[in-house]
Amino acid sequence: MELLRLATAGSVDDGKSTLIGRLLYDSKAIFEDQLEAVERTSRQRGDDYVDLALLTDGLRAEREQGITIDVAYRYFATPKRKFIIADTPGHIQYTRNMVTGASTANLALVLVDARNGLVEQSRRHAFIASLLRIPHLVLCVNKMDLVGYDQDVFEAIKAEFREFAARLDIADLTFIPISALHGDNVVDRSANMPWYEGTSLLHHLEEVHIASDRNLIDVRFPVQYVLRPKSDEHHDYRGYAGTMAGGVLKPGDDIVALPSGFTSRVARIDTIDGPVDEAYGPMAVSVLLEDDIDISRGDMICRPQNRPETGQDVDATVCWMSESSILAPGAKLALKHTTRSVRALVKDLHYRLDINTLHRDEDANELTLNEIGRVSLRTTAPLFYDEYRRNRTTGSFILVDEATNETVGAGMILGPTT
């Protein structure tokens, strides 16, 4: 079955955790003992209803404060599709957690409280979703029961968000009025909103087309490991293991290995279940070539006539994630890009982005925790990359503090330094 990764976002108390709990509960994806535990905790807290948010808010601090702090992953499936949900925090101090949770998502759910309309955090999360190039965005106007299921309220929020979204890069935008607490338009269509002609949220999640979101044009295969079994049975086996990051690779295809530039042809493609006729993202495979050429971890296999950008100077958008350090020109960091690890120097900070107003502060000279900005980097060895908007795998990287081994930043490549 096809897998859909989705991330929820929204302001504090907009009902993200409750919505996920409702999805899990109404789609029969939770066990009886889980439900009993939630019912018991709800009673102990004096609630006169079953608080489904407790299914995802697992940290004690989250339950005490009624907010989401860390990213909670939940898995469920319907007969049509499998789902991984990342329940990401809404508060601005956890921006880095949202970036982490949403970085691999196919779809983002941004929740808005119908009583409050669009708030600063709603806009910020929509912007981060567009920055991360999440292909599909759904704006769920929640708590419609508290505004009497009023169509005018929904239409006003929808119009305001459309105006804001026009400034962003969002390919597919959908609006759904819901009540997560009562289940209106979550799994089943609601009789309380006959004026709404669209589908329920779960139906949309099951049907949204994601197959074409992957880059199936540019063959990109970062080599993670060279397989050389020592057994007598496989003494002449030489396979290059890794995860397809783009395109489609088949036996018989001409390839080139970077950085050496040596060429060969694909002899066979193996998986854990045996040989396959083709490989595409995100399949984990072992590629065997017709010729023995020098390839090692960090190299890139691609097509001779379709190569990634190669260079040591790149411009990137970086989200800084460290509490104990800052990003400033002159900083030296380790950089991990696909399977390649290099060292990087921060040459310049062009601007810091205000993610609430989209204003660019060109006088900024540093990035601190949860801040986002555009930087120029120089690496000690060439990177084989694509622009992030073309390939989210080969266009992204992480920055690591070599002294502490802490991941301090996440970056999206814009292109070569101009």
Side-chain angles (χ1 to χ4, degrees):
M1 281 196 297
E2 195 172 42
L3 172 66
L4 175 75
R5 297 175 180 269
L6 62 133
T8 63
S11 187
V12 173
D13 205 33
D14 276 350
K16 298 184 298 299
S17 300
T18 303
L19 173 61
I20 294 174
R22 174 61 65 183
L23 270 174
L24 296 172
Y25 178 68
D26 283 2
S27 62
K28 309 292 190 292
I30 58 174
F31 297 110
E32 282 187 22
D33 60 337
Q34 289 177 296
L35 182 60
E36 287 169 5
V38 168
E39 290 173 341
R40 185 167 60 250
T41 305
S42 298
R43 284 195 304 272
Q44 290 170 352
R45 289 167 44 153
D47 296 333
D48 57 359
Y49 60 92
V50 178
D51 187 358
L52 295 173
L54 296 173
L55 287 167
T56 55
D57 283 345
L59 297 176
R60 179 176 294 179
E62 293 178 319
R63 295 190 174 197
E64 288 174 352
Q65 299 176 55
I67 64 171
T68 299
I69 294 173
D70 204 354
V71 181
Y73 293 95
R74 288 295 176 268
Y75 309 84
F76 76 104
T78 68
K80 294 187 176 180
R81 193 172 259 174
K82 293 190 292 186
F83 300 93
I84 298 178
I85 307 176
D87 183 17
T88 62
H91 201 279
I92 188 167
Q93 74 190 75
Y94 304 117
T95 298
R96 60 177 175 173
N97 302 50
M98 185 197 163
V99 169
T100 303
S103 61
T104 58
N106 307 106
L107 181 145
L109 288 179
V110 177
L111 262 72
V112 173
D113 188 325
R115 299 169 300 174
N116 302 330
L118 287 185
V119 295
E120 186 179 278
Q121 284 171 278
S122 313
R123 293 183 174 87
R124 186 174 72 252
H125 291 146
F127 169 67
I128 292 174
S130 73
L131 188 70
L132 293 169
R133 298 277 169 180
I134 299 177
H136 309 277
L137 192 146
V138 178
L139 188 80
C140 290
V141 181
N142 192 23
K143 306 191 180 182
M144 288 297 293
D145 54 307
L146 300 181
V147 295
Y149 300 104
D150 189 340
Q151 181 179 3
D152 292 340
V153 172
F154 173 69
E155 294 295 343
I157 293 172
K158 182 177 173 180
E160 186 182 357
F161 190 82
R162 274 197 189 282
E163 183 181 347
F164 173 73
R167 302 161 61 190
L168 307 177
D169 190 0
I170 298 174
D172 174 36
L173 181 58
T174 304
F175 299 88
I176 303 177
I178 64 168
S179 169
L181 189 63
H182 299 291
D184 295 287
N185 285 337
V186 178
V187 171
D188 301 306
R189 287 283 305 276
S190 171
N192 294 315
M193 290 175 274
W195 43 265
Y196 171 66
E197 298 177 349
T199 65
S200 70
L201 174 60
L202 184 61
H203 184 270
H204 179 74
L205 296 179
E206 287 181 327
E207 299 296 333
V208 64
H209 184 65
I210 60 171
S212 60
D213 296 338
R214 294 193 297 265
N215 184 329
L216 297 175
I217 299 169
D218 308 319
V219 170
R220 303 288 184 262
F221 184 69
V223 176
Q224 185 173 352
Y225 191 73
V226 181
L227 296 173
R228 294 294 307 275
K230 298 293 190 288
S231 65
D232 294 338
E233 183 184 355
H234 302 102
H235 69 279
D236 59 347
Y237 188 100
R238 185 185 181 93
Y240 305 102
T243 300
M244 287 292 295
V248 179
L249 198 60
K250 301 177 181 178
D253 284 352
D254 292 321
I255 62 95
V256 61
L258 299 178
S260 67
F262 293 140
T263 58
S264 184
R265 186 174 286 123
V266 177
R268 196 169 92 214
I269 301 174
D270 287 344
T271 69
I272 195 169
D273 297 316
V276 292
D277 295 331
E278 60 181 19
Y280 48 85
M283 288 175 62
V285 298
S286 172
V287 177
L288 285 77
L289 303 179
E290 292 182 356
D291 307 287
D292 282 343
I293 58 178
D294 182 17
I295 299 178
S296 56
R297 177 182 171 86
D299 290 1
M300 177 81 76
I301 292 175
C302 54
R303 302 298 293 275
Q305 307 305 320
N306 182 344
R307 305 187 185 199
E309 294 268 3
T310 301
Q312 292 176 249
D313 294 282
V314 297
D315 278 4
T317 302
V318 170
C319 174
W320 193 247
M321 299 178 167
S322 174
E323 297 178 36
S324 56
S325 61
I326 60 170
L327 178 74
K332 296 176 181 178
L333 299 156
L335 184 151
K336 187 174 186 308
H337 171 259
T338 62
T339 58
R340 197 168 180 79
S341 296
V342 297
R343 300 184 72 213
L345 169 71
V346 180
K347 289 173 59 182
D348 197 8
L349 172 62
H350 299 282
Y351 56 78
R352 180 173 58 219
L353 200 57
D354 185 323
I355 53 179
N356 298 317
T357 64
L358 307 189
H359 171 70
R360 296 178 177 182
D361 180 5
E362 296 182 356
D363 296 325
N365 53 24
E366 65 181 32
L367 293 182
T368 58
L369 176 63
N370 291 321
E371 291 184 334
I372 295 174
R374 177 171 177 162
V375 301
S376 292
L377 301 170
R378 165 162 283 189
T379 59
T380 52
L383 300 178
F384 314 118
Y385 66 89
D386 299 282
E387 293 179 13
Y388 184 78
R389 61 187 174 88
R390 186 167 182 88
N391 188 314
R392 290 168 73 189
T393 303
T394 57
S396 59
F397 60 85
I398 60 170
L399 296 170
V400 178
D401 185 325
E402 291 184 294
T404 63
N405 213 29
E406 174 193 9
T407 299
V408 292
M412 292 150 280
I413 299 174
L414 300 168
T417 298
T418 51

